[in-house]
Amino acid sequence: MAFELPALPYAYDALAPYMSRETLEYHHDKHHQAYITNGNKLAAEAGMDGLSLEEIVKQSFGKNAGLFNNAGQHFNHLHFWNWMKPNGGGTKLPGALQKAIDTDLGGYDKFRADFIAAGTTQFGSGWAWLSVKNGKLEISKTPNGESPLVHGASPILGVDVWEHSYYIDYRNLRPKYLEAFVDSLINWDYVEKLYTAAL
Ligand code: MN3
């Protein structure tokens, strides 16, 4: 069955002023839709359209760049919309996740600095990640449509640092966008749900 674009889990203006209606209209309705349209076509051509999205991403990595880029970005964006919510962010994290950030990443402040640094230093398009590998949290960055999924880890939080994600609202100030994402947008309940599932 072909993949379809789910509606945003909130109104288009719900994340303002940190992420505008205009950004969400272009990013969700145009960019994400294009990944799905192209991914469906390329998955069918590759005879992989019966597989789950995760399997398509893993099996196409390093073998079918066109399919991987589009399916990878569909996977990343499906979660990205849920990694944000109105009145999100902040330092009150669910207990188990807070404990793991303390143990594995040196506490919330170090997590915040390292996650923002990963997004800032990803040269060109890509993503910054918090993921679970062998039961431990780690921070990483990837180019283009890649994710920790193809590096033996389970992504539990990711931020899109393609210019289409921030240029309308922040122009060239990628660090300001990353600070707003962490401080005011992260849906920690969704992160915790993925964290629990990844253990
Ligand atoms: Mn994007």
Side-chain angles (χ1 to χ4, degrees):
M1 202 191 93
F3 298 112
E4 291 177 7
L5 179 66
L8 281 178
Y10 31 73
Y12 283 89
D13 53 9
L15 303 184
Y18 308 108
M19 190 174 284
S20 66
R21 164 186 286 273
E22 188 182 358
T23 290
L24 285 170
E25 284 174 349
Y26 275 89
H27 197 178
H28 176 271
D29 298 4
K30 309 288 186 198
H31 290 277
H32 190 176
Q33 181 63 62
Y35 297 132
I36 294 170
T37 303
N38 295 330
N40 282 336
K41 184 171 165 282
L42 293 166
E45 285 172 10
M48 292 171 86
D49 48 339
L51 300 179
S52 71
L53 180 58
E54 283 83 351
E55 280 306 313
I56 294 174
V57 172
K58 288 182 191 170
Q59 292 186 26
S60 63
F61 181 57
K63 295 184 183 127
N64 182 334
L67 176 56
F68 174 75
N69 289 335
N70 285 284
Q73 284 289 71
H74 177 38
F75 173 84
N76 296 346
H77 287 80
L78 273 179
H79 289 293
F80 183 60
W81 311 126
N82 287 289
W83 278 320
M84 301 183 287
K85 69 170 188 179
N87 302 309
T91 57
K92 282 204 172 58
L93 275 53
L97 194 55
Q98 179 65 62
K99 199 159 169 275
I101 284 176
D102 289 343
T103 307
D104 299 340
L105 300 176
Y108 178 84
D109 290 345
K110 188 164 188 321
F111 151 76
R112 182 184 181 279
D114 290 349
F115 186 76
I116 289 171
T120 302
T121 57
Q122 170 53 40
F123 189 77
S125 297
W127 294 74
W129 301 98
L130 176 64
S131 56
V132 180
K133 189 167 189 177
N134 302 322
K136 293 191 83 171
L137 291 178
E138 62 179 28
I139 291 170
S140 63
K141 59 187 175 185
T142 58
N144 303 316
E146 219 174 284
S147 79
L149 198 60
V150 297
H151 299 291
S154 304
I156 63 170
L157 173 66
V159 60
D160 188 342
V161 298
W162 287 56
E163 284 187 347
H164 66 223
S165 194
Y166 63 88
Y167 213 82
I168 290 170
D169 299 320
Y170 300 88
R171 297 299 172 186
N172 59 316
L173 303 179
R174 189 193 285 187
K176 291 283 170 213
Y177 156 68
L178 290 164
E179 287 169 14
F181 180 86
V182 174
D183 295 339
S184 306
L185 291 176
I186 294 176
N187 180 352
W188 283 112
D189 293 330
Y190 187 67
V191 179
E192 156 123 284
K193 202 172 96 179
L194 294 177
Y195 174 64
T196 307
L199 290 177

